[in-house]
């Protein structure tokens, strides 16, 4: 048995019901249950959460910053997707 | 012994178990096997110290002589502490600590569950809070017990040793004395025979899941509940009480 | 965080072209100047990465070693309330070490490597933790002075250009806000107390004052990393600026306690509004950093022992996880 480092997990916390889970940080753990406990004992010491997700960092598929121009910039010029694009005539209400 | 005296003795005994265990855990700060476990155990020790404070504060109120939590913790002598011998045993290695916690908390959780239904409302309230804390500890520590028992050959051997060494101290938890008797009768407190049976079922299951062998039936140590301790407690108390004893009457 | 995906996709690497590298550097500096945050997988100069790894891991080590001087009084804390508060504070330090190791891991270094460097003596940590805590008042002095100095250093780091470090620092600063107060609170109580208690407080201030001033690092004229770190917005204020700020806010707090800072030159200059200070013993600073402080060997030995004693436990948990995974498969 090699003495290798426990895998890294990412921790996501729901601060209160109604909110989505948000990335809080990471921890190392040997297994999923340990990861959940470590997340609880590390990131909710001040009552910061009502729900926790943990996931092995290696399981996250991330976009590549080198591709970010091709990935994100095409959305920049679709200004007609935003309501401020449209000018409403004076006198029109509730729109 | 009348009912009030038994109540006082019972509550301060709960405080003693919580404090001495908390103090033992505090000794391990900055020495856990991994950072994440360091965080977990600080949480657990804080829970125990918090429970001790609540039980001692209540004990002081029952007594009615103006003593507060710190008087109970820092100004009583060794023979006035009535914690289990199991709890004052030195920390040893991580497997010893985990085994001690699993054996004690498997009992303590059942005790607290029963106490939430007892006739004394203050004890019931404190126990309801403590019960949630201990339920989490026990789950966490049981997981560790399984990991060590069914981990490597070395960890298996070590934790089997921990179990064999600590087992003789478990009997005391279930040996009812006058205080337990009066508390059960007058305050609808826990019945230790029932708790013992349930504890044995739970612990046997955990031990077999951890691929460990049950220790054999054997002689059981006792005396902690009556204030007759091992040599270890005196040193713990001396260290813990040092400042209060050196500067009598000072506030901190 | 995302340690696995750290391969650099800078164009210069692909083409091996010095001009392209200069263009990358310029683009990087432009982002930093525009106060954009740099994230883990973004292109960054190798020296920026190395500087951050060094600084963040040193910071993490300081948190972890910093648990020891305070831990020294945990079993002897004079009341249950103080014991609980001190334990919560020390636990925060473990947590902060953990957040910081995680932030450094995003730069492609493992916690194992960093811990290895600490245990081998290769990595440094804050010199202050190599001083002994000999009385309970030292716990007050650490909270008040050491955490006070740390906060001065750390608040600007919340705006550091590297996103993961900056986010870790925001969390740390938020959590640490009680640390300094609890230390001062200990001293308030001692200074209201018996003559022995007050003497204990003065003695602690005498011993911790100078080492606290050293926490801000060498004087600006001797600080070798400062200029580049400022340009990269890893650092926002110079060592001397922060040290001066610390002295200015701390001296009146000492006066409130009825304690005297152990420096006759520490008087208010009415014109500048700043307190002066005597010469700092930089030789002492250098010796302590080199490993010759009163507790260097003891601190590292304790850390090493904990690490070595835990080896079989970490291994067992890994083996158990593998067995379970094999069973599930």
């Amino acid at each position: 048995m090699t003495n290798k480092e426990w895998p890294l997990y990412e921790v996501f916390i729901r601060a209160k019901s109604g909110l989505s889970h948000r990335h809080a940080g990471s921890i190392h753990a040997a297994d999923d249950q340990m990861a959940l406990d470590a997340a609880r004992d590390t990131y909710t010491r001040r009552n910061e959460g009502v729900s926790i997700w943990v996931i092995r960092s290696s399981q996250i598929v991330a976009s590549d910053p080198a591709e970010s121009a091709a990935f994100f910039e095409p959305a920049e010029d679709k200004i007609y997707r935003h309501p401020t694009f449209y000018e409403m005539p004076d006198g029109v209400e509730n729109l | 012994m009348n009912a009030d005296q038994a109540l006082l003795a019972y509550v301060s005994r709960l405080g003693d178990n919580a404090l001495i265990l908390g103090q033992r855990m505090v000794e391990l700060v900055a020495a856990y096997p991994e950072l994440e476990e360091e965080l977990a155990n600080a949480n657990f020790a804080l829970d125990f110290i918090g429970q001790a404070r609540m039980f001692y504060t209540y004990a002081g109120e029952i007594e009615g002589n103006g003593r507060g939590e710190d008087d109970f913790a820092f100004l009583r002598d060794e023979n006035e502490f009535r914690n289990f011998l199991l709890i004052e045993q030195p920390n040893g290695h991580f497997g010893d600590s985990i085994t001690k916690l699993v054996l004690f908390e498997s009992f303590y959780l059942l005790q607290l569950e029963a106490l939430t239904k007892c006739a004394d409302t203050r004890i019931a309230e404190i126990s309801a809070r403590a019960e949630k804390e201990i339920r989490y500890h026990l789950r966490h520590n049981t997981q560790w017990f399984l990991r060590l028992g069914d981990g490597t050959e070395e960890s298996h051997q070590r934790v089997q040793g921990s179990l064999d060494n600590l087992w003789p101290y478990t009997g005391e938890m279930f040996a009812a004395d006058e205080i337990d008797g009066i508390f059960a009768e007058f305050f609808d407190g826990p019945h230790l025979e029932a708790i013992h049976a349930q504890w044995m079922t739970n612990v046997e299951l955990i031990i077999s899941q951890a691929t460990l062998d049950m220790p054999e039936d054997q002689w059981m140590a006792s005396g902690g509940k009556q204030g007759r301790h091992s040599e270890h407690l005196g040193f713990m108390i001396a260290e813990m009480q040092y400042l209060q004893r050196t500067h009598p009457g000072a506030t901190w | 965080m995302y340690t696995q995906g750290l391969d650099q996709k800078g164009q210069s690497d692909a083409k091996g072209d010095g001009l392209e590298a200069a263009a990358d550097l310029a683009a990087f500096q432009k982002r930093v100047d525009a106060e954009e945050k740099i994230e883990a997988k973004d292109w960054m100069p190798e020296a920026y990465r190395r500087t951050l790894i060094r600084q963040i891991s040193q910071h993490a080590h300081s948190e972890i070693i910093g648990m020891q001087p305070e831990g020294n009084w945990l079993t002897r804390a004079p009341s249950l309330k103080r014991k609980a508060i001190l334990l919560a504070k020390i636990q925060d330090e473990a947590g902060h070490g953990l957040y910081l190791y995680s932030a450094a891991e995003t730069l492609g270094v493992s916690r194992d490597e960093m811990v290895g460097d600490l245990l081998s003596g290769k990595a440094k940590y804050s010199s202050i933790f190599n001083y002994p805590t000999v009385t309970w008042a030292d716990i007050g002095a650490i909270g008040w002075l050491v955490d006070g100095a740390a906060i001065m250093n750390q608040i600007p780091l919340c705006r550091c250009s590297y996103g993961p470090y900056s986010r870790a620092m925001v969390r740390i600063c938020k959590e640490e806000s009680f640390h300094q107060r609890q230390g001062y609170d200990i001293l308030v109580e001692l200074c209201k107390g018996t003559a022995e208690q007050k003497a204990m407080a003065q003695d602690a201030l005498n011993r911790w004052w100078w080492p606290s001033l050293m926490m801000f690092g060498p004087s600006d004229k001797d600080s070798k990393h400062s200029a580049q770190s400022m340009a990269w917005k890893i650092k926002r204020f110079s060592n001397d600026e922060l040290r001066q700020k610390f002295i200015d806010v701390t001296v009146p707090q000492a006066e409130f306690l009825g304690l005297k800072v152990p420096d006759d030159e520490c008087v208010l200059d009415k014109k500048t509004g700043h307190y002066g200070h005597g010469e700092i013993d930089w030789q002492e600073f250098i010796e302590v950093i080199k490993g010759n402080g009163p507790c260097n060997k003891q601190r590292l030995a304790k850390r090493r022992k904990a690490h070595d004693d835990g080896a079989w436990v970490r291994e067992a948990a890994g083996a158990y996880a593998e067995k379970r995974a094999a069973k599930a498969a």
Side-chain angles (χ1 to χ4, degrees), chain A residues 1 5-6 26-31 33-42 45, chain B residues 33-34 36-37 39-41 43-44 47 132-133 136 139-141 143-144 147 152:
Chain A
M1 180 57 53
E5 194 169 51
W6 292 341
S26 25
I27 47 96
H28 284 275
D31 56 56
Q33 188 58 50
M34 196 196 285
L36 211 45
D37 282 12
R40 180 257 194 196
D41 285 313
T42 304
R45 309 201 297 288
Chain B
E34 192 52 273
E36 281 78 359
E37 202 50 30
L39 272 287
N41 279 279
N43 277 342
F44 301 167
D47 288 341
K132 292 191 196 90
E133 295 169 346
Y136 177 80
R139 201 180 59 98
H140 178 92
N141 292 325
Q143 291 281 337
W144 265 114
R147 286 184 195 110
T152 59

Side-chain angles (χ1 to χ4, degrees), chain B residues 3 10 31 81 85-86 92 106 119 128 130 137 152 162 168 184 190 192 202 211-212 250:
Chain B
Y10 196 86
F81 280 82
L85 296 174
L86 174 67
S106 296
H137 296 196
T152 59
S162 309
L192 290 177
N202 297 352
T211 69
L212 296 167

Side-chain angles (χ1 to χ4, degrees), chain C residues 17-322:
Chain C
D17 181 334
L19 286 175
E20 288 287 325
D24 277 348
L25 283 172
F28 176 82
Q29 191 61 49
K30 208 172 139 195
R31 292 188 64 193
V32 170
D33 291 342
E35 298 286 340
E36 260 185 62
K37 294 286 182 218
I38 308 302
E39 293 296 341
K41 292 171 76 183
D42 294 350
W43 186 87
M44 63 186 79
E46 200 41 45
Y48 176 84
R49 175 190 309 280
R50 278 202 310 270
T51 301
L52 279 169
I53 289 177
R54 192 188 63 239
Q55 182 172 335
I56 302 172
S57 61
Q58 277 181 11
H59 194 163
H61 300 329
S62 301
E63 298 280 356
I64 300 308
I65 297 289
M67 297 168 70
Q68 290 185 36
E70 290 175 292
N72 187 36
W73 280 87
L74 208 36
T75 55
R76 292 175 292 171
S79 71
L80 294 181
K81 183 183 88 176
R82 294 282 181 209
K83 193 189 288 287
I85 293 171
L86 185 59
L87 177 53
K89 177 179 191 283
I90 294 172
Q91 182 196 37
D92 276 350
E93 280 150 18
H96 298 168
L98 197 158
Y99 306 160
L100 289 162
Y101 282 131
S102 302
E105 284 176 86
T106 64
L107 292 159
V109 59
S110 72
R111 192 196 286 180
D112 261 3
E113 289 172 70
M114 291 185 274
V115 169
D117 284 350
L118 171 67
L119 299 182
S120 73
K122 187 177 154 206
K124 302 295 177 213
Y125 55 87
S126 185
S127 58
I128 194 85
F129 301 118
N130 292 313
Y131 291 87
T133 50
V134 292
T135 72
W136 171 248
D138 290 10
I139 302 308
I142 288 185
W144 174 39
L145 300 174
V146 175
D147 284 86
I151 290 166
M152 287 278 166
N153 265 322
Q154 289 174 359
I155 290 201
L157 287 173
C158 296
R159 294 191 293 133
C160 162
S161 60
Y162 187 56
Y165 192 21
S166 134
R167 289 192 289 276
M169 289 315 303
V170 168
R171 192 174 186 106
I172 288 171
C173 286
K174 217 186 273 176
E175 295 186 351
E176 275 193 354
S177 51
F178 93 85
H179 292 187
Q180 196 188 9
R181 285 183 177 203
Q182 69 83 33
Y184 196 70
D185 189 54
I186 286 173
L187 293 173
V188 168
E189 203 62 57
L190 291 179
C191 291
K192 284 195 308 203
T194 64
E196 286 100 332
Q197 285 178 303
K198 188 153 187 190
M200 205 187 267
Q202 179 64 57
D203 169 62
L205 174 57
N206 294 347
R207 284 179 292 108
W208 291 92
W209 177 253
W210 291 105
S212 300
L213 296 189
M214 293 175 196
M215 282 178 71
F216 295 94
S219 178
D220 294 349
K221 57 184 189 325
D222 304 318
S223 178
K224 55 179 176 177
H225 302 300
S226 274
Q228 183 59 72
S229 286
M230 293 273 223
W232 279 333
K233 297 195 194 289
I234 293 173
K235 212 175 151 104
R236 301 263 175 178
F237 299 99
S238 79
N239 294 351
D240 287 336
E241 280 173 324
L242 289 169
R243 184 165 20 242
Q244 185 62 52
K245 212 170 147 192
F246 172 75
I247 295 172
D248 289 342
V249 303
T250 308
V251 174
Q253 294 167 354
E255 284 166 359
F256 178 87
L257 292 170
L259 299 179
K260 195 183 168 319
V261 167
D263 178 3
D264 290 335
E265 293 176 52
C266 189
V267 283
L268 184 65
D269 180 335
K270 292 248 165 62
K271 265 183 281 175
T272 61
H274 294 302
Y275 286 86
H277 66 83
E279 190 61 33
I280 293 170
D281 183 353
W282 291 115
Q283 194 53 42
E284 175 180 325
F285 176 73
I286 291 164
E287 289 300 327
V288 176
I289 291 280
K290 267 178 16 194
N292 298 325
C295 301
N296 295 58
K297 290 186 179 67
Q298 171 191 339
R299 301 283 186 246
L300 269 188
K302 170 149 185 171
R303 196 65 244 139
R304 266 189 216 117
K305 183 172 184 333
H307 187 79
D308 294 347
D309 287 352
W312 69 273
V313 175
R314 294 189 296 274
E315 207 174 301
Y320 179 80
E322 276 176 25

